Amino acid sequence: MTEQAFILAIDQGTTSSRAIVFNLTGAIVAVAQEEFRQIFPADGWVEHNPQDIWETTLKTAREALQEAEKQGGKIAAVGITNQRETTLLWDRQTGRTIGNAIVWQDRRTAERCRQLKEKGLEKFFIERTGLLLDPYFSGTKLAWMLDREPELRRRAEQGRLAFGTVDSFLLWQLTGGQVHATDATNASRTLLFNIHTQQWDEKLLELLNIPTPLLPEVKDCAADFGLTTKEIFDRPIPICGIAGDQQAAAIGQACFQPGMVKSTYGTGGFVLMNTGDKAVKSTNRLLTTVAYRLDGKTSYALEGSIFSAGSAVQWLRDALGLIDTAAQSEELAAGITTTAGVYMVPAFTGLGAPHWDPQARGALLGLSRDSGRAEIVRATLESISYQTADLLQGMASDSGIEIERLRVDGGMAANNWLMAFLAWILNLPGDRPVVTETTALGVAYLAGLQSGLFQNLDEIEQSWRRDNTFAPQLDTGERKQLLKGWHKALKRVLL
Ligand code: ADP
């Protein structure tokens, strides 16, 4: 019997590091996962210890590899997907990191962003990067690190330091400091990368005062990223694919045609629409980003996020005690036919696109003496569908592309009632795949493409398998009524 080829996907997330091994039909062979520490040094600051990131990654990767190889296959290639925008700095000589990683959620550079906006520079950043001037992205985080100590800037200018997002940091570690590179999707989240020319942008680097010698080389998503050193696994294995988590999920959902949309419902919700070779400029404050770059050809996406999705369900469970488990929300919502005008706006941490109001806070509206536990739970689930509807409307209007269906994944996609309601509110069919680990699968596909285990995107498209389709129902009158109520509720919380 010849040995089967497997692909190892490293999925370095915000709260845990995971490693998943896939076989060539896209089925999961082995999984390992480990959570790590979240560090909150001040209000609005979020950090990770780089050592924690690296150690949990290495441990889970080794565990998954061993488990998979016990099953008679061999890892032919490695892919990396990661929490995006999180920023690291290290010394090229010693490999030692400088301070902690500043996590994407960290708001410490809000003031810096405000100052840049006041100078009227946001338009300029949007034009070149597709992003908004928000602390979310890496650029101002890196500037903050360098501004803290003049000595660091000097070392950066001399080429002694390296900047990287998490993919780049892991690649450096896995290759024993041989490769300092990233992929186009991760680069497109830094606020330093021109998404049209696919180059680091000198003008943006100048505006943020970032020395060029810090920057990694930007490669395609499927590329030769080097070999793991012998000490990592028992032999060198080629690293062949990298993509940021949301882009990897879109690839795992095989969203390769313009107009295809994936929506991931975890703690937050992330919607990406493929817009093909066109970088669509948004008038709804959606982000324009790189979906993937293969063989030097860039495909773009529009992206929008829902800040509170699963976290709103956690709030029902932990703060209100209305449910014991997240899954219980399904039977409560399905047990009534309407919320009777109750709306929940889960703006716990403000509202994202297309509303963008960081100051907005949550509200529960339309309560009567008949409103109870089920109504509140159902209204919370409904709000996730309404927010998706607002995003999709923005995407359709920005791109001029009619959206035909939606591919769903993430922990909340297990909720059948929610998926059915979503299809109804969007008036679009929703497809749920068999493998909902789309992020890891996406980067396994990329690594498979580069190593010749998959020939092309068509082959990947064909290996995508549907678990269920949620079809829209027909009564549009009621649907419109519900959406109208939602928009009225939203108006009350927008400042
Ligand atoms: P993340 O990757 O962001 O940690 P997951 O994709 O694992 O998130 O999804 C977990 C989230 O989904 C949690 O916030 C949880 O409350 C929610 N969730 C999980 N199962 C259900 C369900 N059946 N119904 C509603 N929400 C759910």
Side-chain angles (χ1 to χ4, degrees):
M1 194 181 84
T2 54
E3 261 178 346
Q4 270 195 77
F6 290 156
I7 302 169
L8 169 65
I10 289 172
D11 178 359
Q12 206 301 305
T14 310
T15 56
S16 71
S17 299
R18 302 198 309 155
I20 304 187
V21 176
F22 293 93
N23 68 19
L24 295 190
T25 68
I28 293 174
V29 179
V31 186
Q33 174 162 4
E34 190 151 314
E35 288 193 12
F36 60 90
R37 234 170 354 137
Q38 306 295 310
I39 302 166
F40 306 105
D43 185 31
W45 292 32
V46 189
E47 297 182 356
H48 290 156
N49 180 334
Q51 205 55 30
D52 291 348
I53 293 181
W54 169 234
E55 280 167 13
T56 53
T57 299
L58 184 61
K59 180 160 175 258
T60 51
R62 282 178 172 156
E63 259 173 53
L65 177 136
Q66 276 165 14
E67 172 57 31
E69 297 200 337
K70 258 192 240 156
Q71 298 179 35
K74 204 151 179 77
I75 307 291
V78 178
I80 305 171
T81 181
N82 56 291
Q83 50 164 323
R84 302 175 301 174
E85 298 104 8
T86 297
T87 303
L88 293 105
L89 193 60
W90 64 91
D91 185 303
R92 289 181 189 272
Q93 202 70 52
T94 62
R96 219 171 287 142
T97 44
I98 317 269
N100 278 337
I102 303 184
V103 179
W104 57 273
Q105 297 149 319
D106 192 292
R107 310 297 297 172
R108 78 184 64 177
T109 59
E111 179 55 26
R112 181 73 189 264
C113 290
R114 203 186 54 77
Q115 287 165 2
L116 290 163
K117 269 194 224 169
E118 242 164 36
K119 287 192 194 147
L121 288 168
E122 185 165 58
K123 217 174 132 245
F124 193 70
F125 276 91
I126 295 175
E127 265 166 22
R128 298 191 176 205
T129 68
L131 309 174
L132 305 170
L133 270 177
D134 190 277
Y136 192 35
F137 308 107
S138 319
T140 58
K141 296 183 199 291
L142 177 57
W144 186 93
M145 286 177 166
L146 296 171
D147 287 342
R148 202 177 31 170
E149 273 183 56
E151 167 65 9
L152 279 182
R153 182 174 300 285
R154 202 174 53 76
R155 282 163 67 193
E157 278 159 2
Q158 291 168 343
R160 288 160 58 192
L161 302 182
F163 148 74
T165 39
V166 170
D167 57 303
S168 195
F169 170 66
L170 292 178
L171 183 63
W172 175 276
Q173 297 288 343
L174 289 165
T175 59
Q178 292 300 302
V179 184
H180 184 216
T182 187
D183 84 296
T185 66
N186 275 295
S188 81
R189 316 296 295 187
T190 58
L191 216 54
L192 307 171
F193 188 68
N194 186 317
I195 58 170
H196 310 287
T197 62
Q198 292 291 301
Q199 308 273 346
W200 297 116
D201 191 298
E202 273 174 34
K203 186 73 196 154
L204 300 177
L205 291 165
E206 201 181 294
L207 282 171
L208 290 174
N209 200 10
I210 308 279
T212 317
L214 278 173
L215 303 172
E217 179 190 352
V218 182
K219 296 188 170 226
D220 285 352
C221 302
D224 174 9
F225 288 99
L227 295 171
T228 61
T229 57
K230 269 213 311 289
E231 299 76 47
I232 303 289
F233 307 118
D234 55 358
R235 61 182 191 281
I237 305 179
I239 303 161
C240 299
I242 295 186
D245 54 10
Q246 297 311 319
Q247 281 89 345
I251 295 163
Q253 287 275 34
C255 289
F256 301 135
Q257 305 302 326
M260 288 183 82
V261 181
K262 75 90 199 175
S263 191
T264 302
Y265 299 100
T267 312
F270 290 90
V271 185
L272 247 84
M273 176 199 209
N274 186 321
T275 60
D277 56 11
K278 236 178 97 194
V280 172
K281 216 173 148 193
S282 175
T283 54
N284 292 290
R285 292 183 76 72
L286 293 162
L287 305 176
T288 310
T289 202
V290 173
Y292 45 84
R293 196 177 90 193
L294 296 170
D295 295 326
K297 194 171 160 284
T298 308
S299 293
Y300 295 91
L302 280 172
E303 175 176 323
S305 49
I306 298 168
F307 293 164
S308 304
S311 58
V313 176
Q314 284 168 17
W315 177 76
L316 293 176
R317 187 193 62 192
D318 302 336
L320 299 192
L322 291 184
I323 47 176
D324 296 323
T325 63
Q328 211 189 352
S329 62
E330 178 167 348
E331 70 188 66
L332 275 166
I336 53 175
T337 53
T338 167
T339 66
V342 176
Y343 284 93
M344 149 76 165
V345 185
F348 299 108
T349 52
L351 287 166
H355 317 293
W356 280 105
D357 185 347
Q359 255 79 48
R361 288 296 173 264
L364 201 51
L365 300 110
L367 297 171
S368 73
R369 281 299 297 268
D370 294 331
S371 316
R373 179 171 163 237
E375 283 75 12
I376 294 172
V377 170
R378 179 167 164 141
T380 304
L381 292 183
E382 287 188 355
S383 75
I384 287 144
S385 305
Y386 298 138
Q387 292 179 88
T388 309
D390 291 346
L391 283 176
L392 259 54
Q393 208 205 347
M395 289 178 172
S397 102
D398 282 340
S399 66
I401 303 174
E402 197 182 328
I403 300 168
E404 287 172 11
R405 28 193 342 121
L406 178 78
R407 292 190 168 180
V408 295
D409 55 64
M412 286 188 102
N415 189 314
N416 289 314
W417 182 84
L418 173 59
M419 292 302 108
F421 187 82
L422 178 70
W424 182 41
I425 285 300
L426 299 180
N427 200 23
L428 294 175
D431 296 317
R432 184 172 64 195
V434 173
V435 178
T436 51
E437 296 290 356
T438 54
T439 306
L441 181 60
V443 85
Y445 281 152
L446 289 172
L449 268 181
Q450 176 66 16
S451 52
L453 298 168
F454 291 102
Q455 295 313 310
N456 49 39
L457 294 186
D458 288 343
E459 204 177 304
I460 292 173
E461 171 91 63
Q462 278 155 29
S463 81
W464 182 90
R465 291 268 171 281
R466 190 189 334 263
D467 159 61
N468 203 347
T469 293
F470 299 90
Q473 302 161 19
L474 286 174
D475 48 342
T476 34
E478 200 183 338
R479 188 172 72 83
K480 288 204 174 120
Q481 225 25 62
L482 286 170
L483 276 165
K484 213 167 129 194
W486 162 253
H487 289 123
K488 253 170 82 183
L490 256 186
K491 273 210 188 99
R492 305 257 174 107
V493 309
L494 289 170
L495 298 177

